[in-house]
Amino acid sequence: RHARPLPRARPRHARRAPRASSFSSPRAPGGLGPAEGDPQRRRGRWFQFLHQRARGMAGKRGYARRRLPRPLDAAILLTWALLTLLDLAMTAVLLVCGAAAAAARLAARALFVGRRGNSHEEPSRVLVVGASFAGLAAYRELLGEEGVEVTLVDFKEYFEYTPGILRCYVTPSYLRQITCALPAGAGGAGGGRFVCGEVTSVGEHEAEVTHADGKVSNLPFDYLLLCIGSTYAAPVKPSPRERTLVERQQTWADAQRDLDKAEHIIVVGAGAVGVELVGEILTVRPEKRVTLVDMNDTVLRGFEKGCVTHADKWLRAKGADLVLAERISAITDTSVTLESGRVVRGDVVYRCTGWQPNTELMKGSPLGAELGFRDAVVVNDFLQVPGKPHIFALGDAMTHEGSKELKLGHTAEVNAHLAAKNVRRMLRRASEPLLTAPLLTYPRGVTGADLTPKIYCVSLGAYEATLAFNGLVISGFLAALTKWLLEWTKVQAARARPIGVVFWIIADVVSNWLGRTLLPTKAT
């Protein structure tokens, strides 16, 4: 009973009173802590910052909890590292082989000099208008052809992977990952060059080009490949006002600023573009209220049932408001009026309701008479403009009644491969009159079948996707990884990196083989 009472335990977070000591650090007025500039205070702030980072906290406006890296991030990083190492190895091999081939050509010239007469014939001029999927594929395939001068024309200086562009609404810096500079040109036996300018009109033997400085020039051609694509609501596709990547980046910075200001977002159109846009928004900005409006009774109308079911379930789980089977009578910048009388109001409206063939430059020209439904260029089975066998139309700008295929980047490249092969055959016919090899028909001349494989992948943000190949549907992690792989390798192919070029050569061969055998394409 004479024991002294125990002192009350001090909470662990309680701060000790400063001790008076001649060796203590200088204090701020009032003895509240170390003064500004004192090393002890700086160390305290540094340790506090590290502690917050370790707890997964970041940001200046109210700390937002950060998630641990997802398995998909690790898979992408590992895949990227392996492919990059493989690309470096392939580049080294190509450099050695290129040096050996150059030495062999020099030796052959020295050995056979004077044995062949000098030919002063002008090379055949091939003009490729448009530098997206079809245009770049045709340009690469014809480049190096002996006696051919290939010119690529586009109003912008860069290639942009359009299927991945919607992520720039929420992450504008993503543009750097899906773009690259267009080729400046190539030397050698088959010369190539790139001209940055807008083609404003096309005749039967020359095209008019307006350059960035306002100057107008005419480009004559012997063969013309129209790969002019389609138009879409801004800013999904670049315009002539976005000639450089700096200008394009500014466009997406403005788009993100508008989206950030909006609390309620309305997306009109539940096709692939509308669904992907909603997916990107809800993945990065889950606090936003998003309404998806469409006249069809389901999202992704016309896609495989498995893709539709997965996308619908994912959107509803993320909180998207789906207004389906409702016809629209009016659209403004902030509201959508339905025929039922209901008005859906929001802060911003994004229109994802379809595309239009970009054939305005052909109207009023001799080629204008060949425009069909929705002003698309009607082509024959060789992808030629009827009555003008030296002019081909590819991609979104044309319509081919026999194939009735989806307008995708993959099918645009299949168009390009067949057109390039037919141009080669026509060139050989001109130089060797006895050669009677017939032109290839589309699409059998490339795929070996009467239909092209139906391949598409719809992303639902960065970590989810649904992929279909001729009825086979894969959704989730594997589809999202495949989406990234297709995107990354396609940009590398546009850069002419060996890994990208080889990957897509193999992918085309495998997909065509699968479309003929194990997973045959069915007509719809």
Side-chain angles (χ1 to χ4, degrees):
R1 69 179 173 223
H2 298 291
R4 297 176 61 183
L6 293 174
R8 295 181 62 184
R10 182 186 315 150
R12 295 180 61 184
H13 63 273
R15 185 173 183 177
R16 292 179 178 272
R19 297 179 180 180
S21 171
S22 58
F23 297 100
S24 61
S25 60
R27 301 275 169 182
L32 298 179
E36 288 288 344
D38 179 59
Q40 181 178 341
R41 180 164 184 157
R42 290 198 297 269
R43 284 197 301 273
R45 288 180 175 176
W46 175 244
F47 288 128
Q48 183 183 12
F49 169 76
L50 290 179
H51 179 62
Q52 291 168 348
R53 294 286 295 190
R55 292 178 58 191
M57 314 292 283
K60 295 183 179 179
R61 305 176 183 174
Y63 293 113
R65 185 172 299 278
R66 299 183 61 184
R67 297 179 179 176
L68 294 174
R70 302 195 185 192
L72 181 62
D73 294 325
I76 287 176
L77 181 60
L78 178 61
T79 306
W80 172 83
L82 293 175
L83 292 177
T84 301
L85 290 175
L86 184 59
D87 182 63
L88 292 175
M90 295 171 66
T91 301
V93 172
L94 288 176
L95 287 175
V96 174
C97 294
R105 284 196 298 268
L106 290 175
R109 283 182 187 175
L111 183 61
F112 294 102
V113 63
R115 297 190 182 184
R116 296 179 59 182
N118 294 329
S119 175
H120 298 284
E121 294 182 2
E122 291 291 330
S124 297
R125 299 161 299 185
V126 179
L127 180 62
V128 182
V129 181
S132 191
F133 292 98
L136 267 185
Y139 176 78
R140 301 280 189 200
E141 191 156 340
L142 291 171
L143 200 62
E145 185 76 14
E146 186 176 357
V148 179
E149 180 184 275
V150 190
T151 302
L152 179 67
V153 184
D154 199 283
F155 63 80
K156 60 187 187 304
E157 300 174 349
Y158 52 90
F159 167 80
E160 181 177 284
Y161 185 80
T162 304
I165 198 63
L166 296 174
R167 193 161 298 166
C168 293
Y169 270 107
V170 292
T171 311
S173 60
Y174 192 71
L175 184 69
R176 295 193 296 269
Q177 300 184 35
I178 57 173
T179 54
C180 67
L182 288 173
R193 62 169 178 154
F194 170 65
V195 175
C196 185
E198 181 183 4
V199 177
T200 52
S201 67
V202 175
E204 292 192 24
H205 296 288
E206 66 177 12
E208 184 180 271
V209 181
T210 302
H211 301 270
D213 56 4
K215 294 182 179 179
V216 178
S217 63
N218 292 322
L219 294 177
F221 58 80
D222 299 308
Y223 298 91
L224 174 65
L225 277 66
L226 290 170
C227 313
I228 46 184
S230 58
T231 59
Y232 207 90
V236 174
K237 288 199 172 185
S239 69
R241 295 187 299 275
E242 299 162 311
R243 185 176 61 88
T244 66
L245 271 175
V246 174
E247 295 165 336
R248 185 65 169 153
Q249 187 72 65
Q250 184 59 47
T251 297
W252 284 113
D254 296 340
Q256 186 201 34
R257 192 178 304 113
D258 295 338
L259 187 143
D260 287 343
K261 294 177 182 178
E263 296 182 1
H264 182 195
I265 300 167
I266 303 174
V267 178
V268 179
V273 177
V275 169
E276 287 196 348
L277 177 56
V278 174
E280 298 294 344
I281 295 172
L282 292 179
T283 298
V284 179
R285 305 298 299 273
E287 76 280 4
K288 299 286 187 183
R289 180 188 171 193
V290 182
T291 300
L292 182 60
V293 184
D294 196 280
M295 64 178 290
N296 294 307
D297 58 355
T298 180
V299 299
L300 299 177
R301 182 75 173 179
F303 285 63
E304 294 292 340
K305 184 178 179 180
C307 296
V308 174
T309 302
H310 183 80
D312 186 274
K313 182 179 179 181
W314 188 93
L315 291 171
R316 294 182 188 277
K318 292 295 181 179
D321 183 16
L322 304 185
V323 180
L324 303 175
E326 292 274 7
R327 290 186 175 274
I328 299 172
S329 59
I331 302 176
T332 68
D333 292 338
T334 57
S335 67
V336 175
T337 304
L338 307 177
E339 287 188 355
S340 62
R342 178 184 173 185
V343 179
V344 183
R345 302 186 186 278
D347 300 308
V348 64
V349 176
Y350 294 114
R351 306 188 187 197
C352 306
T353 52
W355 51 271
Q356 185 73 19
N358 185 25
T359 54
E360 189 67 28
L361 61 90
M362 299 178 63
K363 296 178 180 178
S365 72
L367 305 180
E370 307 303 331
L371 300 181
F373 178 67
R374 297 179 65 182
D375 290 337
V377 184
V378 179
V379 296
N380 59 21
D381 289 340
F382 311 117
L383 301 187
Q384 300 166 319
V385 175
K388 300 172 180 60
H390 64 294
I391 299 178
F392 297 78
L394 320 172
D396 290 354
M398 71 84 172
T399 178
H400 176 246
E401 294 297 331
S403 58
K404 296 182 180 179
E405 59 193 9
L406 295 174
K407 292 299 182 180
L408 305 169
H410 167 71
T411 53
E413 292 185 340
V414 177
N415 297 168
H417 294 321
L418 185 120
K421 293 178 185 296
N422 281 340
V423 168
R424 274 207 196 98
R425 295 196 172 205
M426 294 174 72
L427 289 169
R428 289 171 185 169
R429 280 183 183 178
S431 59
E432 302 177 22
L434 298 180
L435 187 64
T436 58
L439 297 182
L440 301 176
T441 59
Y442 186 82
R444 180 169 287 277
V446 176
T447 65
D450 293 329
L451 298 171
T452 53
K454 295 180 181 178
I455 311 171
Y456 50 81
C457 187
V458 180
S459 62
L460 300 168
Y463 300 100
E464 193 72 23
T466 179
L467 178 149
F469 184 105
N470 285 356
L472 175 66
V473 177
I474 301 174
S475 300
F477 172 89
L478 185 58
L481 179 60
T482 303
K483 174 83 171 181
W484 172 85
L485 180 63
L486 298 177
E487 182 177 285
W488 187 81
T489 52
K490 180 55 65 179
V491 176
Q492 300 309 307
R495 288 193 176 109
R497 298 299 305 173
I499 188 66
V501 174
V502 172
F503 176 89
W504 280 98
I505 291 175
I506 296 174
D508 288 341
V509 172
V510 172
S511 63
N512 291 333
W513 178 78
L514 288 174
R516 295 192 305 268
T517 57
L518 301 180
L519 295 170
T521 308
K522 298 179 181 179
T524 57

